């Protein structure tokens, strides 16, 4: 009878615990899944940032054209409060998010530079003569498309 009690205690203890082999198998499966999914997750984050930049650029262009229509076909002198563009047509200037930038300060910026020259400082380039708004970066995104081509 004592042998049966000891055998029963061993079975009870074994039911609630995992063996070392089982834990190693589970950890290796999780590690494999992370290794497979991590690169696609990072590329999805880059694509989301680029989509945000495209959407913000579209918003800026739409608001600029709204100003043009409302003000007798004249483009705003600048995209800030001095021309009445902000806050009437846009509450704030949105940010341009640039991936793969050699200029760390240019990665996220809402600065607007007037003129036609790209200085790769991030943000936006606005040409008050034509009303054209572009991303202020001559580099390529993750798809190989220049930010200027947006």
């Amino acid at each position: 009878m004592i042998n049966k009690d000891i055998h029963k205690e061993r079975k009870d203890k074994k039911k609630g615990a995992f063996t070392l082999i089982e834990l190693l198998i589970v950890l290796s499966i999780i590690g494999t899944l992370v290794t497979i999914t991590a690169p696609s997750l990072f590329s999805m984050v880059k694509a989301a940032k680029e989509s945000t930049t495209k959407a913000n650029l579209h918003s800026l262009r739409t608001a600029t054209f709204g100003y043009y229509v409302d003000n007798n076909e004249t483009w705003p002198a600048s995209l800030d409060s001095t021309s009445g563009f902000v806050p009437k047509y846009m509450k704030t200037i949105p940010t341009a998010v640039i991936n793969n930038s050699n200029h760390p300060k240019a990665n996220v910026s809402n600065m607007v530079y007037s003129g036609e020259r790209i200085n790769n400082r991030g943000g936006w380039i606005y040409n008050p003569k034509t009303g054209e708004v572009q991303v202020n970066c001559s580099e390529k995104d993750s798809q190989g498309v220049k930010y200027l081509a947006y």
Side-chain angles (χ1 to χ4, degrees):
M1 189 176 259
I2 294 175
N3 269 348
K4 286 183 181 180
D5 290 337
I6 292 173
H7 187 63
K8 187 176 180 182
E9 282 180 27
R10 285 184 185 164
K11 277 188 175 180
D12 289 342
K13 285 183 181 179
K14 201 170 186 180
K15 279 185 181 178
F18 292 107
T19 65
L20 182 60
I21 298 295
E22 290 170 332
L23 289 174
L24 289 174
I25 290 171
V26 169
L27 288 175
S28 66
I29 290 171
I30 291 172
T32 303
L33 290 174
V34 167
T35 304
I36 292 170
T37 58
S40 64
L41 178 66
F42 291 128
S43 66
M44 288 171 55
V45 169
K46 281 185 178 180
K49 289 178 180 180
E50 290 164 3
S51 294
T52 300
T53 299
K54 288 178 183 178
N56 288 344
L57 178 60
H58 179 74
S59 297
L60 264 173
R61 287 177 174 164
T62 302
T64 304
F65 188 71
Y67 182 99
Y68 178 80
V69 170
D70 290 347
N71 291 282
N72 299 320
E73 298 182 354
T74 55
W75 297 107
S78 62
L79 300 183
D80 57 18
S81 58
T82 60
S83 65
F85 184 76
V86 174
K88 184 175 181 183
Y89 293 90
M90 292 202 88
K91 187 174 181 179
T92 60
I93 299 297
T95 57
V97 181
I98 300 171
N99 291 316
N100 305 325
S101 177
N102 294 327
H103 307 283
K105 292 182 181 177
N107 288 339
V108 179
S109 176
N110 65 347
M111 292 294 298
V112 178
Y113 300 94
S114 290
E116 300 173 16
R117 291 195 65 186
I118 303 300
N119 60 19
N120 287 323
R121 291 185 184 161
W124 313 102
I125 289 288
Y126 171 65
N127 185 342
K129 295 176 186 174
T130 62
E132 185 177 10
V133 182
Q134 293 179 302
V135 180
N136 186 14
C137 183
S138 59
E139 297 176 26
K140 294 181 180 179
D141 65 9
S142 63
Q143 302 296 318
V145 178
K146 284 193 171 191
Y147 284 99
L148 291 173
Y150 285 0

